[in-house]
Short mmCIF file of all heavy atoms in Angstrom, two decimals:
data_model
loop_
_atom_site.label_atom_id
_atom_site.label_comp_id
_atom_site.label_asym_id
_atom_site.label_seq_id
_atom_site.Cartn_x
_atom_site.Cartn_y
_atom_site.Cartn_z
N MET A 1 133.32 187.45 11.07
CA MET A 1 134.40 186.71 11.70
C MET A 1 135.66 186.83 10.84
O MET A 1 135.61 186.66 9.63
CB MET A 1 133.97 185.25 11.85
CG MET A 1 135.03 184.34 12.32
SD MET A 1 135.14 183.84 14.02
CE MET A 1 133.86 184.60 14.89
N LYS A 2 136.76 187.14 11.49
CA LYS A 2 138.03 187.28 10.79
C LYS A 2 138.55 185.92 10.35
O LYS A 2 138.48 184.96 11.10
CB LYS A 2 139.03 187.92 11.76
CG LYS A 2 139.97 188.88 11.12
CD LYS A 2 140.64 189.72 12.17
CE LYS A 2 142.13 189.54 12.03
NZ LYS A 2 142.87 190.23 13.06
N GLU A 3 139.01 185.82 9.12
CA GLU A 3 139.46 184.54 8.56
C GLU A 3 140.88 184.20 9.03
O GLU A 3 141.84 184.31 8.26
CB GLU A 3 139.43 184.60 7.03
CG GLU A 3 138.06 184.45 6.44
CD GLU A 3 137.48 183.06 6.62
OE1 GLU A 3 138.18 182.06 6.40
OE2 GLU A 3 136.30 182.97 7.01
N THR A 4 141.02 183.80 10.27
CA THR A 4 142.33 183.40 10.77
C THR A 4 142.57 181.94 10.40
O THR A 4 141.68 181.26 9.88
CB THR A 4 142.40 183.56 12.30
OG1 THR A 4 141.40 182.74 12.89
CG2 THR A 4 142.18 185.00 12.71
N ARG A 5 143.76 181.46 10.70
CA ARG A 5 144.12 180.08 10.38
C ARG A 5 143.22 179.09 11.11
O ARG A 5 142.76 178.10 10.54
CB ARG A 5 145.58 179.88 10.77
CG ARG A 5 146.17 178.59 10.33
CD ARG A 5 147.63 178.55 10.66
NE ARG A 5 147.83 178.83 12.08
CZ ARG A 5 148.95 178.60 12.74
NH1 ARG A 5 149.98 178.12 12.10
NH2 ARG A 5 149.06 178.85 14.01
N ILE A 6 142.94 179.37 12.39
CA ILE A 6 142.10 178.46 13.17
C ILE A 6 140.67 178.48 12.66
O ILE A 6 140.03 177.43 12.58
CB ILE A 6 142.17 178.82 14.68
CG1 ILE A 6 143.58 178.51 15.20
CG2 ILE A 6 141.13 178.07 15.47
CD1 ILE A 6 143.78 178.79 16.66
N VAL A 7 140.16 179.66 12.30
CA VAL A 7 138.79 179.76 11.78
C VAL A 7 138.67 178.97 10.47
O VAL A 7 137.69 178.24 10.27
CB VAL A 7 138.37 181.24 11.59
CG1 VAL A 7 137.08 181.35 10.81
CG2 VAL A 7 138.24 181.92 12.93
N LYS A 8 139.65 179.09 9.60
CA LYS A 8 139.63 178.32 8.35
C LYS A 8 139.66 176.83 8.63
O LYS A 8 138.98 176.04 7.97
CB LYS A 8 140.83 178.70 7.47
CG LYS A 8 140.71 180.05 6.82
CD LYS A 8 141.93 180.34 5.97
CE LYS A 8 141.86 181.74 5.38
NZ LYS A 8 143.06 182.08 4.63
N TYR A 9 140.44 176.42 9.64
CA TYR A 9 140.54 175.01 10.02
C TYR A 9 139.19 174.50 10.53
O TYR A 9 138.72 173.44 10.12
CB TYR A 9 141.62 174.86 11.10
CG TYR A 9 141.79 173.46 11.62
CD1 TYR A 9 142.33 172.47 10.82
CD2 TYR A 9 141.41 173.13 12.92
CE1 TYR A 9 142.51 171.19 11.30
CE2 TYR A 9 141.58 171.86 13.40
CZ TYR A 9 142.12 170.88 12.59
OH TYR A 9 142.28 169.61 13.06
N ILE A 10 138.54 175.29 11.39
CA ILE A 10 137.23 174.90 11.95
C ILE A 10 136.20 174.78 10.83
O ILE A 10 135.44 173.80 10.77
CB ILE A 10 136.77 175.91 13.02
CG1 ILE A 10 137.69 175.84 14.24
CG2 ILE A 10 135.33 175.64 13.43
CD1 ILE A 10 137.47 176.95 15.26
N LYS A 11 136.17 175.76 9.93
CA LYS A 11 135.21 175.71 8.82
C LYS A 11 135.47 174.49 7.94
O LYS A 11 134.54 173.85 7.46
CB LYS A 11 135.29 176.98 7.99
CG LYS A 11 134.62 178.17 8.64
CD LYS A 11 134.67 179.37 7.73
CE LYS A 11 133.96 180.54 8.32
NZ LYS A 11 133.98 181.71 7.43
N GLY A 12 136.74 174.17 7.71
CA GLY A 12 137.08 173.00 6.91
C GLY A 12 136.58 171.72 7.55
O GLY A 12 136.05 170.83 6.87
N ILE A 13 136.73 171.62 8.87
CA ILE A 13 136.23 170.44 9.58
C ILE A 13 134.72 170.33 9.42
O ILE A 13 134.19 169.26 9.13
CB ILE A 13 136.60 170.50 11.08
CG1 ILE A 13 138.11 170.37 11.26
CG2 ILE A 13 135.88 169.41 11.86
CD1 ILE A 13 138.56 170.65 12.68
N ILE A 14 134.03 171.44 9.61
CA ILE A 14 132.56 171.43 9.52
C ILE A 14 132.11 171.08 8.11
O ILE A 14 131.15 170.32 7.93
CB ILE A 14 131.98 172.78 9.98
CG1 ILE A 14 132.29 173.01 11.46
CG2 ILE A 14 130.48 172.83 9.75
CD1 ILE A 14 132.00 174.40 11.96
N ARG A 15 132.80 171.61 7.10
CA ARG A 15 132.43 171.31 5.71
C ARG A 15 132.65 169.84 5.35
O ARG A 15 131.83 169.22 4.68
CB ARG A 15 133.29 172.14 4.75
CG ARG A 15 132.77 173.51 4.52
CD ARG A 15 133.54 174.21 3.40
NE ARG A 15 133.36 175.64 3.53
CZ ARG A 15 134.30 176.47 3.98
NH1 ARG A 15 135.49 176.02 4.32
NH2 ARG A 15 134.06 177.75 4.07
N ASN A 16 133.77 169.28 5.79
CA ASN A 16 134.18 167.96 5.33
C ASN A 16 133.65 166.80 6.15
O ASN A 16 133.66 165.68 5.68
CB ASN A 16 135.71 167.88 5.28
CG ASN A 16 136.28 168.87 4.29
OD1 ASN A 16 135.66 169.16 3.29
ND2 ASN A 16 137.44 169.41 4.59
N HIS A 17 133.18 167.07 7.36
CA HIS A 17 132.63 166.01 8.20
C HIS A 17 131.16 166.33 8.45
O HIS A 17 130.85 167.36 9.02
CB HIS A 17 133.37 165.93 9.53
CG HIS A 17 134.81 165.56 9.37
ND1 HIS A 17 135.69 166.25 8.57
CD2 HIS A 17 135.53 164.56 9.91
CE1 HIS A 17 136.87 165.69 8.63
NE2 HIS A 17 136.81 164.66 9.44
N ARG A 18 130.31 165.45 8.03
CA ARG A 18 128.87 165.72 8.08
C ARG A 18 128.39 165.97 9.51
O ARG A 18 127.72 166.93 9.79
CB ARG A 18 128.12 164.52 7.47
CG ARG A 18 126.76 164.85 6.98
CD ARG A 18 126.81 165.81 5.82
NE ARG A 18 125.47 166.03 5.33
CZ ARG A 18 125.08 167.13 4.73
NH1 ARG A 18 125.95 168.09 4.52
NH2 ARG A 18 123.86 167.29 4.30
N TYR A 19 128.71 165.09 10.43
CA TYR A 19 128.26 165.24 11.81
C TYR A 19 129.47 165.31 12.72
O TYR A 19 130.12 164.31 12.97
CB TYR A 19 127.38 164.06 12.23
CG TYR A 19 126.18 163.91 11.34
CD1 TYR A 19 126.12 162.88 10.41
CD2 TYR A 19 125.12 164.81 11.41
CE1 TYR A 19 125.03 162.75 9.57
CE2 TYR A 19 124.03 164.68 10.58
CZ TYR A 19 123.99 163.65 9.67
OH TYR A 19 122.91 163.53 8.85
N VAL A 20 129.78 166.49 13.20
CA VAL A 20 130.90 166.65 14.12
C VAL A 20 130.44 167.59 15.24
O VAL A 20 129.85 168.64 14.98
CB VAL A 20 132.16 167.18 13.39
CG1 VAL A 20 131.96 168.54 12.81
CG2 VAL A 20 133.36 167.15 14.28
N THR A 21 130.64 167.16 16.48
CA THR A 21 130.17 167.95 17.61
C THR A 21 131.19 169.02 17.97
O THR A 21 132.35 168.96 17.54
CB THR A 21 129.95 167.05 18.84
OG1 THR A 21 131.20 166.51 19.23
CG2 THR A 21 128.96 165.94 18.54
N THR A 22 130.73 169.96 18.75
CA THR A 22 131.62 171.02 19.22
C THR A 22 132.76 170.43 20.04
O THR A 22 133.90 170.87 19.94
CB THR A 22 130.81 172.02 20.08
OG1 THR A 22 129.74 172.54 19.29
CG2 THR A 22 131.66 173.17 20.55
N GLU A 23 132.44 169.42 20.84
CA GLU A 23 133.47 168.79 21.68
C GLU A 23 134.56 168.14 20.83
O GLU A 23 135.74 168.21 21.16
CB GLU A 23 132.84 167.75 22.61
CG GLU A 23 131.75 168.30 23.49
CD GLU A 23 132.20 169.45 24.37
OE1 GLU A 23 133.33 169.39 24.89
OE2 GLU A 23 131.44 170.41 24.53
N ASP A 24 134.16 167.49 19.73
CA ASP A 24 135.14 166.88 18.83
C ASP A 24 136.08 167.93 18.24
O ASP A 24 137.29 167.72 18.15
CB ASP A 24 134.44 166.13 17.69
CG ASP A 24 133.66 164.93 18.17
OD1 ASP A 24 133.97 164.42 19.27
OD2 ASP A 24 132.74 164.50 17.45
N ILE A 25 135.50 169.05 17.83
CA ILE A 25 136.31 170.13 17.26
C ILE A 25 137.28 170.67 18.32
O ILE A 25 138.44 170.94 18.03
CB ILE A 25 135.41 171.25 16.70
CG1 ILE A 25 134.60 170.73 15.52
CG2 ILE A 25 136.25 172.44 16.26
CD1 ILE A 25 133.56 171.70 15.00
N MET A 26 136.78 170.80 19.56
CA MET A 26 137.63 171.27 20.66
C MET A 26 138.83 170.34 20.86
O MET A 26 139.96 170.79 21.05
CB MET A 26 136.85 171.31 21.97
CG MET A 26 135.79 172.35 22.01
SD MET A 26 136.46 173.97 22.31
CE MET A 26 134.96 174.83 22.72
N LEU A 27 138.58 169.03 20.82
CA LEU A 27 139.67 168.07 20.99
C LEU A 27 140.70 168.18 19.87
O LEU A 27 141.91 168.10 20.10
CB LEU A 27 139.11 166.65 21.06
CG LEU A 27 138.31 166.33 22.32
CD1 LEU A 27 137.65 164.96 22.19
CD2 LEU A 27 139.19 166.39 23.54
N LEU A 28 140.23 168.40 18.64
CA LEU A 28 141.15 168.57 17.51
C LEU A 28 141.98 169.84 17.67
O LEU A 28 143.18 169.85 17.39
CB LEU A 28 140.37 168.60 16.20
CG LEU A 28 139.75 167.27 15.76
CD1 LEU A 28 138.79 167.48 14.60
CD2 LEU A 28 140.83 166.28 15.39
N LEU A 29 141.33 170.93 18.12
CA LEU A 29 142.06 172.18 18.34
C LEU A 29 143.12 172.01 19.42
O LEU A 29 144.23 172.54 19.31
CB LEU A 29 141.09 173.30 18.74
CG LEU A 29 140.16 173.83 17.66
CD1 LEU A 29 139.19 174.83 18.25
CD2 LEU A 29 140.95 174.46 16.53
N GLU A 30 142.76 171.26 20.45
CA GLU A 30 143.71 171.03 21.53
C GLU A 30 144.91 170.23 21.03
O GLU A 30 146.05 170.53 21.34
CB GLU A 30 143.00 170.28 22.66
CG GLU A 30 143.83 170.15 23.92
CD GLU A 30 143.05 169.51 25.05
OE1 GLU A 30 142.20 168.65 24.78
OE2 GLU A 30 143.31 169.89 26.20
N ARG A 31 144.63 169.23 20.21
CA ARG A 31 145.72 168.37 19.72
C ARG A 31 146.62 169.10 18.73
O ARG A 31 147.84 169.08 18.85
CB ARG A 31 145.13 167.13 19.05
CG ARG A 31 146.23 166.19 18.55
CD ARG A 31 145.70 164.99 17.83
NE ARG A 31 144.85 164.19 18.70
CZ ARG A 31 143.90 163.38 18.25
NH1 ARG A 31 143.68 163.27 16.96
NH2 ARG A 31 143.17 162.68 19.07
N TYR A 32 146.03 169.75 17.72
CA TYR A 32 146.84 170.30 16.63
C TYR A 32 147.31 171.73 16.85
O TYR A 32 148.30 172.14 16.27
CB TYR A 32 146.09 170.20 15.31
CG TYR A 32 145.87 168.77 14.90
CD1 TYR A 32 144.59 168.24 14.79
CD2 TYR A 32 146.95 167.93 14.65
CE1 TYR A 32 144.39 166.91 14.43
CE2 TYR A 32 146.76 166.60 14.30
CZ TYR A 32 145.48 166.11 14.19
OH TYR A 32 145.29 164.80 13.85
N TYR A 33 146.60 172.51 17.66
CA TYR A 33 147.01 173.89 17.90
C TYR A 33 147.47 174.13 19.33
O TYR A 33 147.87 175.24 19.68
CB TYR A 33 145.86 174.86 17.55
CG TYR A 33 145.69 175.00 16.06
CD1 TYR A 33 144.74 174.25 15.38
CD2 TYR A 33 146.49 175.87 15.34
CE1 TYR A 33 144.60 174.37 14.01
CE2 TYR A 33 146.35 176.00 13.97
CZ TYR A 33 145.40 175.24 13.32
OH TYR A 33 145.26 175.36 11.96
N GLY A 34 147.37 173.11 20.19
CA GLY A 34 147.86 173.25 21.55
C GLY A 34 147.07 174.21 22.41
O GLY A 34 147.62 174.82 23.33
N LEU A 35 145.79 174.39 22.11
CA LEU A 35 144.98 175.31 22.90
C LEU A 35 144.63 174.68 24.25
O LEU A 35 144.27 173.51 24.32
CB LEU A 35 143.66 175.63 22.18
CG LEU A 35 143.79 176.42 20.88
CD1 LEU A 35 142.43 176.57 20.24
CD2 LEU A 35 144.38 177.77 21.16
N PRO A 36 144.73 175.46 25.32
CA PRO A 36 144.39 174.92 26.64
C PRO A 36 142.87 174.92 26.85
O PRO A 36 142.32 175.81 27.48
CB PRO A 36 145.09 175.88 27.60
CG PRO A 36 145.14 177.17 26.85
CD PRO A 36 145.26 176.81 25.40
N ILE A 37 142.19 173.93 26.31
CA ILE A 37 140.73 173.87 26.33
C ILE A 37 140.19 173.72 27.75
O ILE A 37 139.06 174.09 28.04
CB ILE A 37 140.25 172.72 25.43
CG1 ILE A 37 140.61 173.01 23.97
CG2 ILE A 37 138.75 172.50 25.53
CD1 ILE A 37 140.04 174.28 23.40
N LYS A 38 141.00 173.22 28.67
CA LYS A 38 140.53 173.03 30.04
C LYS A 38 140.32 174.35 30.77
O LYS A 38 139.62 174.41 31.77
CB LYS A 38 141.51 172.15 30.80
CG LYS A 38 141.69 170.81 30.12
CD LYS A 38 141.93 169.70 31.06
CE LYS A 38 142.05 168.34 30.44
NZ LYS A 38 141.69 168.15 29.10
N VAL A 39 140.91 175.43 30.26
CA VAL A 39 140.72 176.76 30.85
C VAL A 39 139.35 177.28 30.40
O VAL A 39 139.08 177.36 29.20
CB VAL A 39 141.84 177.73 30.40
CG1 VAL A 39 141.62 179.12 30.96
CG2 VAL A 39 143.20 177.17 30.78
N PRO A 40 138.47 177.63 31.34
CA PRO A 40 137.10 178.03 30.98
C PRO A 40 137.02 179.18 29.98
O PRO A 40 136.21 179.14 29.06
CB PRO A 40 136.47 178.42 32.31
CG PRO A 40 137.25 177.65 33.32
CD PRO A 40 138.64 177.56 32.78
N SER A 41 137.85 180.21 30.13
CA SER A 41 137.76 181.36 29.23
C SER A 41 138.08 180.95 27.79
O SER A 41 137.42 181.39 26.84
CB SER A 41 138.68 182.48 29.68
OG SER A 41 140.03 182.04 29.69
N VAL A 42 139.07 180.08 27.62
CA VAL A 42 139.44 179.61 26.28
C VAL A 42 138.33 178.73 25.73
O VAL A 42 137.94 178.86 24.57
CB VAL A 42 140.77 178.81 26.33
CG1 VAL A 42 141.10 178.21 24.98
CG2 VAL A 42 141.90 179.70 26.80
N TYR A 43 137.79 177.86 26.57
CA TYR A 43 136.71 176.95 26.16
C TYR A 43 135.51 177.74 25.63
O TYR A 43 135.02 177.47 24.53
CB TYR A 43 136.29 176.07 27.34
CG TYR A 43 135.13 175.17 27.04
CD1 TYR A 43 135.32 173.97 26.38
CD2 TYR A 43 133.84 175.54 27.38
CE1 TYR A 43 134.26 173.13 26.10
CE2 TYR A 43 132.77 174.72 27.10
CZ TYR A 43 132.98 173.52 26.45
OH TYR A 43 131.92 172.71 26.16
N TYR A 44 135.06 178.73 26.39
CA TYR A 44 133.86 179.46 25.99
C TYR A 44 134.12 180.37 24.79
O TYR A 44 133.24 180.57 23.96
CB TYR A 44 133.29 180.25 27.17
CG TYR A 44 132.65 179.34 28.18
CD1 TYR A 44 133.19 179.14 29.44
CD2 TYR A 44 131.51 178.61 27.85
CE1 TYR A 44 132.62 178.27 30.34
CE2 TYR A 44 130.92 177.74 28.74
CZ TYR A 44 131.48 177.58 29.98
OH TYR A 44 130.90 176.70 30.86
N LYS A 45 135.34 180.90 24.68
CA LYS A 45 135.68 181.72 23.52
C LYS A 45 135.58 180.88 22.24
O LYS A 45 134.94 181.28 21.27
CB LYS A 45 137.09 182.28 23.66
CG LYS A 45 137.51 183.07 22.43
CD LYS A 45 138.95 183.49 22.51
CE LYS A 45 139.33 184.18 21.22
NZ LYS A 45 140.75 184.42 21.11
N TYR A 46 136.20 179.71 22.26
CA TYR A 46 136.20 178.88 21.06
C TYR A 46 134.85 178.20 20.82
O TYR A 46 134.51 177.88 19.69
CB TYR A 46 137.36 177.89 21.07
CG TYR A 46 138.61 178.59 20.64
CD1 TYR A 46 139.51 179.10 21.57
CD2 TYR A 46 138.86 178.84 19.30
CE1 TYR A 46 140.63 179.80 21.17
CE2 TYR A 46 139.97 179.54 18.89
CZ TYR A 46 140.86 180.02 19.83
OH TYR A 46 141.95 180.73 19.42
N LYS A 47 134.07 178.02 21.87
CA LYS A 47 132.72 177.50 21.70
C LYS A 47 131.91 178.49 20.86
O LYS A 47 131.18 178.10 19.95
CB LYS A 47 132.07 177.27 23.06
CG LYS A 47 130.77 176.54 22.99
CD LYS A 47 130.28 176.17 24.37
CE LYS A 47 128.97 175.42 24.24
NZ LYS A 47 128.46 174.99 25.52
N LYS A 48 132.06 179.78 21.15
CA LYS A 48 131.37 180.82 20.39
C LYS A 48 131.89 180.89 18.96
O LYS A 48 131.12 181.00 18.00
CB LYS A 48 131.54 182.17 21.08
CG LYS A 48 130.76 183.29 20.42
CD LYS A 48 130.91 184.57 21.20
CE LYS A 48 130.04 185.68 20.71
NZ LYS A 48 130.07 185.93 19.29
N VAL A 49 133.21 180.79 18.80
CA VAL A 49 133.82 180.84 17.46
C VAL A 49 133.29 179.67 16.61
O VAL A 49 132.93 179.86 15.45
CB VAL A 49 135.36 180.77 17.56
CG1 VAL A 49 135.98 180.54 16.20
CG2 VAL A 49 135.90 182.05 18.18
N ILE A 50 133.21 178.47 17.21
CA ILE A 50 132.71 177.30 16.48
C ILE A 50 131.25 177.51 16.09
O ILE A 50 130.85 177.17 14.97
CB ILE A 50 132.88 176.02 17.33
CG1 ILE A 50 134.37 175.68 17.45
CG2 ILE A 50 132.12 174.85 16.73
CD1 ILE A 50 134.69 174.62 18.48
N LYS A 51 130.46 178.09 16.98
CA LYS A 51 129.04 178.34 16.69
C LYS A 51 128.89 179.28 15.49
O LYS A 51 128.11 179.02 14.58
CB LYS A 51 128.36 178.93 17.92
CG LYS A 51 126.89 179.18 17.77
CD LYS A 51 126.30 179.75 19.05
CE LYS A 51 124.85 180.09 18.86
NZ LYS A 51 124.29 180.75 20.04
N VAL A 52 129.67 180.36 15.48
CA VAL A 52 129.61 181.33 14.37
C VAL A 52 130.07 180.68 13.06
O VAL A 52 129.45 180.86 12.01
CB VAL A 52 130.45 182.58 14.70
CG1 VAL A 52 130.57 183.48 13.49
CG2 VAL A 52 129.85 183.33 15.87
N CYS A 53 131.14 179.89 13.12
CA CYS A 53 131.65 179.21 11.92
C CYS A 53 130.60 178.25 11.38
O CYS A 53 130.39 178.17 10.16
CB CYS A 53 132.92 178.43 12.24
SG CYS A 53 134.35 179.46 12.51
N ARG A 54 129.95 177.52 12.27
CA ARG A 54 128.92 176.57 11.86
C ARG A 54 127.78 177.30 11.13
O ARG A 54 127.31 176.86 10.08
CB ARG A 54 128.38 175.85 13.09
CG ARG A 54 127.71 174.56 12.80
CD ARG A 54 127.20 173.89 14.06
NE ARG A 54 128.22 173.43 15.00
CZ ARG A 54 128.82 172.27 14.89
NH1 ARG A 54 128.53 171.43 13.93
NH2 ARG A 54 129.73 171.90 15.78
N GLN A 55 127.37 178.46 11.66
CA GLN A 55 126.31 179.25 11.01
C GLN A 55 126.73 179.70 9.62
O GLN A 55 125.94 179.63 8.68
CB GLN A 55 125.96 180.46 11.87
CG GLN A 55 125.23 180.12 13.14
CD GLN A 55 125.07 181.30 14.06
OE1 GLN A 55 125.70 182.34 13.88
NE2 GLN A 55 124.22 181.14 15.07
N GLU A 56 127.98 180.15 9.48
CA GLU A 56 128.46 180.62 8.18
C GLU A 56 128.53 179.48 7.16
O GLU A 56 128.15 179.65 6.00
CB GLU A 56 129.83 181.27 8.33
CG GLU A 56 129.78 182.60 9.05
CD GLU A 56 131.14 183.23 9.25
OE1 GLU A 56 132.13 182.77 8.62
OE2 GLU A 56 131.23 184.18 10.04
N VAL A 57 129.00 178.31 7.59
CA VAL A 57 129.11 177.17 6.68
C VAL A 57 127.72 176.71 6.25
O VAL A 57 127.48 176.42 5.08
CB VAL A 57 129.89 176.01 7.34
CG1 VAL A 57 129.78 174.74 6.52
CG2 VAL A 57 131.35 176.40 7.50
N TYR A 58 126.77 176.67 7.20
CA TYR A 58 125.41 176.25 6.85
C TYR A 58 124.75 177.25 5.91
O TYR A 58 124.00 176.88 5.03
CB TYR A 58 124.56 176.07 8.12
CG TYR A 58 124.95 174.88 8.95
CD1 TYR A 58 124.42 174.70 10.21
CD2 TYR A 58 125.86 173.93 8.49
CE1 TYR A 58 124.77 173.60 10.98
CE2 TYR A 58 126.22 172.83 9.25
CZ TYR A 58 125.67 172.67 10.50
OH TYR A 58 126.01 171.58 11.26
N LYS A 59 125.07 178.54 6.09
CA LYS A 59 124.53 179.57 5.19
C LYS A 59 125.06 179.35 3.77
O LYS A 59 124.32 179.45 2.79
CB LYS A 59 124.94 180.96 5.68
CG LYS A 59 124.20 182.10 5.00
CD LYS A 59 124.70 183.45 5.47
CE LYS A 59 124.39 183.69 6.92
NZ LYS A 59 124.84 185.02 7.40
N GLU A 60 126.36 179.01 3.65
CA GLU A 60 126.95 178.71 2.34
C GLU A 60 126.26 177.52 1.71
O GLU A 60 125.97 177.51 0.51
CB GLU A 60 128.44 178.37 2.48
CG GLU A 60 129.33 179.51 2.84
CD GLU A 60 130.74 179.04 3.18
OE1 GLU A 60 131.09 177.88 2.86
OE2 GLU A 60 131.50 179.84 3.77
N ARG A 61 125.99 176.49 2.52
CA ARG A 61 125.31 175.28 2.00
C ARG A 61 123.94 175.62 1.44
O ARG A 61 123.55 175.13 0.39
CB ARG A 61 125.12 174.26 3.12
CG ARG A 61 126.21 173.25 3.18
CD ARG A 61 125.85 172.16 4.14
NE ARG A 61 127.07 171.65 4.74
CZ ARG A 61 127.13 170.98 5.87
NH1 ARG A 61 126.04 170.72 6.54
NH2 ARG A 61 128.28 170.57 6.34
N ARG A 62 123.21 176.44 2.18
CA ARG A 62 121.86 176.82 1.71
C ARG A 62 121.94 177.61 0.41
O ARG A 62 121.14 177.38 -0.50
CB ARG A 62 121.14 177.66 2.78
CG ARG A 62 120.60 176.85 3.92
CD ARG A 62 119.59 177.62 4.73
NE ARG A 62 120.06 178.88 5.24
CZ ARG A 62 120.75 179.06 6.38
NH1 ARG A 62 121.04 178.02 7.14
NH2 ARG A 62 121.13 180.26 6.77
N LYS A 63 122.92 178.50 0.30
CA LYS A 63 123.08 179.26 -0.94
C LYS A 63 123.37 178.34 -2.11
O LYS A 63 122.82 178.49 -3.19
CB LYS A 63 124.22 180.28 -0.80
CG LYS A 63 123.82 181.56 -0.14
CD LYS A 63 124.98 182.51 -0.14
CE LYS A 63 124.62 183.78 0.59
NZ LYS A 63 125.77 184.68 0.73
N ARG A 64 124.27 177.37 -1.90
CA ARG A 64 124.63 176.44 -2.97
C ARG A 64 123.44 175.59 -3.38
O ARG A 64 123.26 175.26 -4.53
CB ARG A 64 125.78 175.55 -2.51
CG ARG A 64 126.90 175.53 -3.51
CD ARG A 64 128.08 174.71 -3.10
NE ARG A 64 128.72 175.25 -1.90
CZ ARG A 64 128.99 174.51 -0.83
NH1 ARG A 64 128.71 173.25 -0.78
NH2 ARG A 64 129.57 175.07 0.22
N LYS A 65 122.62 175.21 -2.40
CA LYS A 65 121.47 174.36 -2.68
C LYS A 65 120.40 175.12 -3.47
O LYS A 65 119.75 174.58 -4.33
CB LYS A 65 120.85 173.85 -1.37
CG LYS A 65 119.91 172.69 -1.54
CD LYS A 65 119.35 172.25 -0.22
CE LYS A 65 120.34 171.41 0.55
NZ LYS A 65 119.78 170.83 1.78
N ASP A 66 120.24 176.42 -3.18
CA ASP A 66 119.21 177.24 -3.84
C ASP A 66 119.55 177.50 -5.30
O ASP A 66 118.67 177.57 -6.15
CB ASP A 66 119.06 178.58 -3.12
CG ASP A 66 118.39 178.43 -1.76
OD1 ASP A 66 117.78 177.38 -1.53
OD2 ASP A 66 118.51 179.37 -0.94
N VAL A 67 120.84 177.66 -5.60
CA VAL A 67 121.23 178.04 -6.97
C VAL A 67 121.12 176.89 -7.94
O VAL A 67 121.00 175.79 -7.73
CB VAL A 67 122.69 178.56 -6.98
CG1 VAL A 67 123.15 178.81 -8.39
CG2 VAL A 67 122.75 179.84 -6.17
#
């Protein structure tokens, strides 16, 4: 995943908030970045981006825990 500004923002949210749903992240993106989340193509694109970011952050957590 390319480290764009939005991707860094999503990863930061996932790192700093223990339990945050995809819908909560979508609402934050809509508020601060003005993304039209109501459009299905945008919704599903960012749903996938959030899923990938979540996997990467959890992988980092596991690495930190193992060391």
Side-chain angles (χ1 to χ4, degrees):
M1 172 99 0
K2 217 164 122 184
E3 282 292 315
T4 60
R5 188 175 55 165
I6 292 181
V7 169
K8 286 180 184 177
Y9 178 70
I10 293 170
K11 284 184 178 181
I13 292 171
I14 295 169
R15 276 189 201 105
N16 297 328
H17 296 55
R18 202 66 177 152
Y19 302 106
V20 63
T21 64
T22 302
E23 303 303 320
D24 294 338
I25 295 173
M26 292 282 195
L27 291 172
L28 290 169
L29 289 175
E30 188 175 33
R31 181 183 299 156
Y32 294 117
Y33 285 96
L35 294 176
I37 295 301
K38 302 213 177 348
V39 178
S41 60
V42 175
Y43 176 83
Y44 288 112
K45 177 186 176 190
Y46 280 97
K47 189 172 181 178
K48 184 176 187 311
V49 168
I50 291 168
K51 182 179 176 185
V52 171
C53 288
R54 201 180 293 276
Q55 289 172 347
E56 290 178 13
V57 169
Y58 289 170
K59 192 183 294 181
E60 290 171 15
R61 265 189 211 160
R62 283 196 305 274
K63 277 184 183 174
R64 230 178 297 129
K65 196 180 282 186
D66 289 343
V67 173

